[in-house]
Amino acid sequence: DMPSAIAVVPETSGRSQIKFGNQNRNINIVGTTPNFADVYQYKLTYGRVFTAAEDAAKKRVVVLGGSVPGLLEVDPTMLLGESLLIKGTSYQIIGIFEEKGSVGFSNTDEYAWIPLSTSQYRLTGNEDLDKIGIQINPEVSMDNAIIDAERIMRREHQIIPGAKNDFSLSDRKQFLNMQQEAAEIFSYLLAGIAGISLIVGGIGIMNIMLVTVTERTREIGIRKALGATRTSIMLQFLVEAMTLCIAGGLVGIAIGATAASLLASLAGWSTPISFEAVSIAFGFGAGVGLIFGMLPARKAARLDPIEALRYE
């Protein structure tokens, strides 16, 4: 009835409690048909996807997202063939997907999938669907496909002409583009906050070093009287400013690594620490010390030795 469609994936969805051993978690349980893995391009790490026969027979089988074993604190190789309780009912684990990563606020790696008929019979208690995914023929324009889908949905829902739709249609590509744009804006926002923090921190370092130059005026005069050049005086204070920033950077890296480890162990989040990111942050810290330490260092280097020696 819809020539533009290659495949149709009906879905029910809802959060339910799962239990394995002494571990309890609330995750999203999706009831769907076996073709969902091909349509949404999920790849299996272990096991298999349920079959059409298992869907028709309302079998209690489940396929887990890649992050679920971590949430249950179990080695994924130990889960296949084991029983998982969903709302107190036992389901056999037959497969585990590869991790795909989260998109926006949705993380399908923390989902579990069961046959659609099993979900309707055992979880929802009715034949209602929450969503229908449609894979469109690439030779058909998206606008024409949406018109076809709307026509069929209005007919099935018996909506009279002129009445509003009681459903919504969305293009997955548009959704992904919106997510990417939001991620870019969020990245720019974080970069702006980081830039302001660097400037504020740099001003603080500069003020500290200016106070240090004032307090050590007599020391600078003695060094110049003993033959120290402007370059050596300037280099001394630049090194001190950079050391302050690098020390602060090391403390920040230690705090960040500790927080990432705690989030990974307590909340089950994936928080890898990138060596490149740490190196860049370390370099920025040294750069802030160099730039904002320049003014105090030049002030120290330009002090007149006689006036400096007279300073009380």
Side-chain angles (χ1 to χ4, degrees):
D1 197 13
M2 187 175 175
S4 56
I6 296 176
V8 177
V9 183
E11 294 181 15
T12 62
S13 180
R15 295 190 70 84
S16 298
Q17 185 186 58
I18 64 171
K19 183 178 181 181
F20 184 84
N22 60 353
Q23 296 293 324
N24 288 275
R25 294 289 185 273
N26 279 307
I27 66 171
N28 209 42
I29 307 296
V30 179
T32 186
T33 48
N35 64 337
F36 81 97
D38 293 330
V39 172
Y40 293 123
Q41 298 181 354
Y42 285 100
K43 296 181 180 179
L44 285 161
T45 304
Y46 306 101
R48 62 179 178 84
V49 178
F50 46 81
T51 64
E54 289 172 326
D55 183 18
K58 302 180 178 65
K59 291 290 186 180
R60 299 193 306 271
V61 291
V62 60
V63 184
L64 304 179
S67 297
V68 176
L71 294 176
L72 297 174
E73 300 180 7
V74 182
D75 187 334
T77 58
M78 304 294 292
L79 285 173
L80 282 184
E82 297 295 325
S83 293
L84 178 76
L85 293 180
I86 302 177
K87 279 192 172 181
T89 302
S90 177
Y91 288 73
Q92 184 184 25
I93 301 170
I94 61 172
I96 301 173
F97 286 124
E98 290 182 0
E99 293 189 24
K100 296 184 68 173
S102 61
V103 178
F105 296 103
S106 176
N107 185 4
T108 56
D109 292 334
E110 297 180 356
Y111 285 15
W113 291 263
I114 63 176
L116 177 64
S117 59
T118 305
S119 174
Q120 292 174 329
Y121 179 70
R122 298 187 178 276
L123 295 184
T124 65
N126 57 60
E127 296 184 354
D128 293 341
L129 299 174
D130 295 312
K131 183 173 71 172
I132 300 176
I134 303 173
Q135 185 178 14
I136 302 301
N137 188 327
E139 297 180 358
V140 178
S141 71
M142 184 58 66
D143 291 339
N144 289 337
I146 290 176
I147 291 172
D148 286 345
E150 183 177 17
R151 173 180 55 80
I152 293 171
M153 290 295 293
R154 288 182 65 89
R155 184 191 66 198
E156 294 298 319
H157 284 212
Q158 298 180 354
I159 300 175
I160 63 174
K164 293 183 179 180
N165 293 336
D166 60 357
F167 57 89
S168 61
L169 297 169
S170 61
D171 179 0
R172 191 176 179 87
K173 288 184 178 180
Q174 290 180 352
F175 175 75
L176 289 175
N177 290 336
M178 290 175 61
Q179 290 288 343
Q180 290 174 353
E181 291 176 1
E184 288 181 3
I185 293 172
F186 192 62
S187 298
Y188 292 143
L189 178 62
L190 288 178
I193 293 172
I196 293 172
S197 300
L198 286 174
I199 292 173
V200 172
I203 293 173
I205 292 293
M206 183 175 65
N207 288 333
I208 291 171
M209 292 307 299
L210 286 171
V211 172
T212 301
V213 169
T214 302
E215 291 179 345
R216 296 166 63 184
T217 300
R218 189 173 180 82
E219 175 193 328
I220 296 168
I222 293 173
R223 285 201 64 197
K224 283 196 168 187
L226 293 175
T229 63
R230 285 189 174 185
T231 301
S232 62
I233 297 293
M234 185 177 234
L235 183 61
Q236 173 190 348
F237 284 91
L238 281 177
V239 169
E240 290 182 9
M242 290 177 66
T243 301
L244 278 173
C245 284
I246 290 172
L250 290 173
V251 172
I253 290 170
I255 294 173
T258 303
S261 299
L262 288 174
L263 286 173
S265 60
L266 299 179
W269 293 6
S270 177
T271 53
I273 300 174
S274 168
F275 177 77
E276 290 79 7
V278 172
S279 300
I280 292 172
F282 196 78
F284 264 101
V288 168
L290 179 63
I291 294 171
F292 287 90
M294 189 67 70
L295 179 62
R298 290 185 64 185
K299 179 180 178 181
R302 290 182 178 183
L303 286 175
D304 182 85
I306 297 175
E307 294 297 327
L309 288 169
R310 288 178 180 175
Y311 185 80
E312 292 293 339

